[in-house]
């Protein structure tokens, strides 16, 4: 591994058609492989129809119009190349991985997909059928149902309240022209961030990417979006044929100075993200036996900052479990953490966090997330140093300043009432 690349704190840039495209790069000769990700800022939040982003990404996975889905897949398989499109709330991504000996072929196939995606009515009808089938299956996944309902409460009126896949009506309404317009708007240089790594040289890669991508239009840039969680505590309770209760809960979390996000990580770890030993699991399951599982974490992703958690309980334990969660959170926000909890959190985070960047893929992913949030690429290293020196006094002052976490909303799936 090139230590200089690993320790870069800012992205490089590659100029394509007079557009400065950010490049996050790390050279690694551990294995003769390459990984390239084209990330276009926009994603599902850029679609005027629910599910349009997800369906557009799925259409890109249908190969090229010239070769068709099967023919294009056979081309990739013959060279052990993986090429996959995916969508998130704010990104549309094309991920390419390959053996070094087939790098030329990999870039060639990526270019073919960008030039000639299989945007046909046949592919669209296939994707619609698969999407509707997935949507139907999700109705019996009660964790998924509760999570979606919580999002409806916390992020009402925003793209976060809408499932990436959309709903039955929106899926059926999507036309081929909608997908063409979405891809035309998103697959542009002014929205592009390139993430690359492996057994490759940066300058050579820049030249190859310039040739590969120079045909893309410049397009219009897309600003990063941020959504606030609702401060109005609310609840949604629905009934399903279940023998246990599924309880998802959440609350706003005010980041303020994002340089202090490392304290949110410690706070969340102690409160409910550390499994056994966390406040919530100890009180709800270990001491009282009220839940099969229980957790709570602090999310500071950049798109939205909020606290969230879940419980799975016996039906008859539902109300008491919710009561205990509220009591635990209230005590934690009011009185803070204990020194032994802080030391345990430090020991775990300082020991485990470096392991999260052992692989090239995990390091590149972490760097991209940091870049997307406007942080140094090596932000995790900076956070670990701050966690090591964190005092109980500073942590508790931080915890006690977040009284907004007490404004909890709940989404519950419980048993169907007997007739």
């Amino acid at each position: 591994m090139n230590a200089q690349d690993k320790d870069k704190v800012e992205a490089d840039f590659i100029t394509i058609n007079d557009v400065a495209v950010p490049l996050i790069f790390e050279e690694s000769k551990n294995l003769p492989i390459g990984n390239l990700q084209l990330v276009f800022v926009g994603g599902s939040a850029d679609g005027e129809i629910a599910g349009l982003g997800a369906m557009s990404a799925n259409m890109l996975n249908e190969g090229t119009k010239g070769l068709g889905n099967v023919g294009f897949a056979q081309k990739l398989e013959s060279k052990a190349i993986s090429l996959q499109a995916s969508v998130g709330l704010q990104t549309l991504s094309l991920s390419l991985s390959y053996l070094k000996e087939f790098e030329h072929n990999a870039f060639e196939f990526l270019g073919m997909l960008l030039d000639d995606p299989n945007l046909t009515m046949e592919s669209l009808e296939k994707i619609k059928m698969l999407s509707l089938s997935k949507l139907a299956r999700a109705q019996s996944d009660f964790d998924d149902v509760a999570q979606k309902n919580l999002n409806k409460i916390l992020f009402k009126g925003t793209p976060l309240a809408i499932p990436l896949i959309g709903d039955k009506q929106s899926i059926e309404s999507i036309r081929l022209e909608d997908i063409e317009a979405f891809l035309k708007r998103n697959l542009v240089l002014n929205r592009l961030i390139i993430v690359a790594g492996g057994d490759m040289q940066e300058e050579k890669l820049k030249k190859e990417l310039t040739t590969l991508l120079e045909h893309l239009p410049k397009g219009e840039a897309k600003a990063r979006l941020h959504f606030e969680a609702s401060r109005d505590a609310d609840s949604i309770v629905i009934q399903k044929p279940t023998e246990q209760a599924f309880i998802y809960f959440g609350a706003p979390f005010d980041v303020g100075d994002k340089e202090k996000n490392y304290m949110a990580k410690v706070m969340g770890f102690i409160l409910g993200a550390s499994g056994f030993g966390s406040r919530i699991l100890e009180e709800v399951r270990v001491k009282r036996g009220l839940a099969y599982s229980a957790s709570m974490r602090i999310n500071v992703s950049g798109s939205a900052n909020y606290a969230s958690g879940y419980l799975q309980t016996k039906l008859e334990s539902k109300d008491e479990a919710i009561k205990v969660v509220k009591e635990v959170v209230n005590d934690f926000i009011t009185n803070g953490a204990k020194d032994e909890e802080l030391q345990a959190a430090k020991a775990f985070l300082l020991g485990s966090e470096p392991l999260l960047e052992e692989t090239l893929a995990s390091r590149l992913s972490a760097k991209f997330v940091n870049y997307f949030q406007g942080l140094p690429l090596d932000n995790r290293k900076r956070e670990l140093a701050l966690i090591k020196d964190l005092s109980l006094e500073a942590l508790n002052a931080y915890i006690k300043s977040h009284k907004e976490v007490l404004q909890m909303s709940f989404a519950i799936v419980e048993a169907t009432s007997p007739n």
Side-chain angles (χ1 to χ4, degrees):
M1 178 189 306
N2 187 314
Q4 184 178 3
D5 282 333
K6 183 180 178 182
D7 294 335
K8 282 182 178 178
V9 298
E10 296 181 354
D12 290 325
F13 288 88
I14 172 174
T15 301
I16 306 174
N17 289 345
D18 298 322
V19 176
V21 177
L23 171 63
I24 299 169
F25 176 82
E26 182 180 324
E27 182 179 351
S28 173
K29 294 186 178 294
N30 291 341
L31 293 170
I33 60 175
N35 291 282
L36 172 67
Q37 193 171 24
L38 304 183
V39 184
F40 298 89
V41 179
S44 66
D46 191 54
E48 62 276 8
I49 305 173
L52 177 57
M55 191 166 292
S56 298
N58 287 331
M59 288 288 281
L60 289 176
N61 289 324
E62 287 296 297
T64 65
K65 192 176 295 183
L67 291 172
N69 181 22
V70 175
F72 191 70
Q74 289 175 339
K75 286 276 189 181
L76 295 174
E77 187 177 354
S78 69
K79 303 295 184 182
I81 295 168
S82 173
L83 176 55
Q84 190 77 20
S86 60
V87 73
L89 179 70
Q90 297 196 66
T91 58
L92 173 66
S93 303
L94 285 166
S95 300
L96 178 70
S97 61
Y98 54 87
L99 297 173
K100 184 179 180 180
E101 62 181 300
F102 297 125
E103 181 176 272
H104 174 76
N105 302 100
F107 280 41
E108 179 185 9
F109 295 151
L110 175 57
M112 290 169 60
L113 181 60
L114 288 170
D115 289 340
D116 186 35
N118 192 13
L119 304 183
T120 62
M121 284 302 301
E122 182 182 1
S123 292
L124 177 59
E125 292 305 317
K126 171 187 172 183
I127 295 302
K128 282 189 176 185
M129 181 184 67
L130 293 173
S131 298
L132 291 171
S133 176
K134 182 178 180 180
L135 193 66
R137 291 195 303 272
Q139 295 301 310
S140 59
D141 181 344
F142 301 147
D143 281 300
D144 184 70
V145 171
Q147 178 65 73
K148 288 176 179 176
N149 282 338
L150 179 63
N151 290 342
K152 290 178 182 178
I153 298 172
L154 292 181
F155 302 107
K156 183 178 180 179
T158 78
L160 277 171
I162 305 170
L164 288 180
I165 194 174
D167 56 29
K168 185 175 185 294
Q169 182 178 357
S170 67
I171 290 171
E172 291 177 340
S173 73
I174 293 173
R175 304 167 302 166
L176 199 58
E177 306 94 272
D178 298 320
I179 291 174
E180 291 170 344
F182 178 87
L183 294 177
K184 182 178 181 180
R185 186 168 63 248
N186 278 269
L187 299 180
V188 297
L189 294 172
N190 273 314
R191 296 191 178 194
L192 177 60
I193 302 168
I194 300 172
V195 183
D199 191 357
M200 57 180 73
Q201 296 179 340
E202 185 172 0
E203 291 307 313
K204 179 184 177 185
L205 175 68
K206 286 182 176 180
K207 292 179 181 178
E208 292 175 335
L209 289 175
T210 300
T211 301
L212 174 68
L213 302 173
E214 62 184 359
H215 69 287
L216 289 181
K218 293 183 180 180
E220 295 184 1
K222 177 72 174 180
R224 313 291 199 274
L225 303 176
H226 181 81
F227 306 100
E228 297 291 335
S230 173
R231 309 184 86 84
D232 299 322
D234 200 354
S235 64
I236 295 176
V237 181
I238 65 170
Q239 296 181 337
K240 293 284 187 178
T242 175
E243 296 181 356
Q244 63 182 6
F246 297 80
I247 305 166
Y248 278 63
F249 54 94
F253 188 84
D254 299 334
V255 164
D257 182 4
K258 64 184 177 183
E259 296 296 318
K260 294 183 179 180
N261 280 357
Y262 72 97
M263 284 198 271
K265 183 176 293 186
V266 178
M267 174 183 173
F269 182 89
I270 294 171
L271 179 56
S274 57
F276 285 102
S278 70
R279 286 281 187 98
I280 284 183
L281 193 60
E282 285 294 309
E283 293 295 332
V284 175
R285 174 176 172 169
V286 177
K287 293 183 179 180
R288 294 175 172 84
L290 294 173
Y292 307 112
S293 59
S295 73
M296 186 173 184
R297 64 185 65 248
I298 308 296
N299 306 283
V300 285
S301 67
S303 295
N305 306 311
Y306 61 104
S308 65
Y310 75 92
L311 304 167
Q312 290 183 24
T313 78
K314 296 178 181 178
L315 294 170
E316 60 269 24
S317 303
K318 169 178 64 70
D319 293 337
E320 187 178 356
I322 291 173
K323 178 174 178 288
V324 172
V325 166
K326 291 180 177 180
E327 290 173 349
V328 170
V329 175
N330 183 70
D331 177 72
F332 187 69
I333 298 298
T334 302
N335 300 310
K338 301 173 183 178
D339 185 63
E340 57 265 32
E341 292 174 320
L342 173 57
Q343 299 311 317
K346 283 186 177 184
F348 183 88
L349 294 172
L350 294 175
S352 65
E353 287 286 309
L355 299 179
L356 299 178
E357 294 192 7
E358 278 196 319
T359 66
L360 174 64
S362 61
R363 289 194 300 276
L364 288 173
S365 176
K367 289 178 179 179
F368 170 76
V369 170
N370 288 334
Y371 178 82
F372 200 81
Q373 294 185 40
L375 297 167
L377 299 186
D378 67 344
N379 189 60
R380 184 171 283 171
K381 181 187 297 184
R382 181 192 69 85
E383 287 192 336
L384 289 178
L386 291 168
I387 289 172
K388 182 179 180 180
D389 295 333
L390 178 61
S391 69
L392 183 62
E393 180 182 12
L395 175 62
N396 282 340
Y398 182 81
I399 291 171
K400 294 174 183 180
S401 72
H402 286 285
K403 297 189 184 300
E404 72 278 3
V405 178
L406 300 175
Q407 306 303 313
M408 286 189 287
S409 293
F410 288 82
I412 303 167
V413 177
E414 61 181 16
T416 303
S417 299
N419 293 327

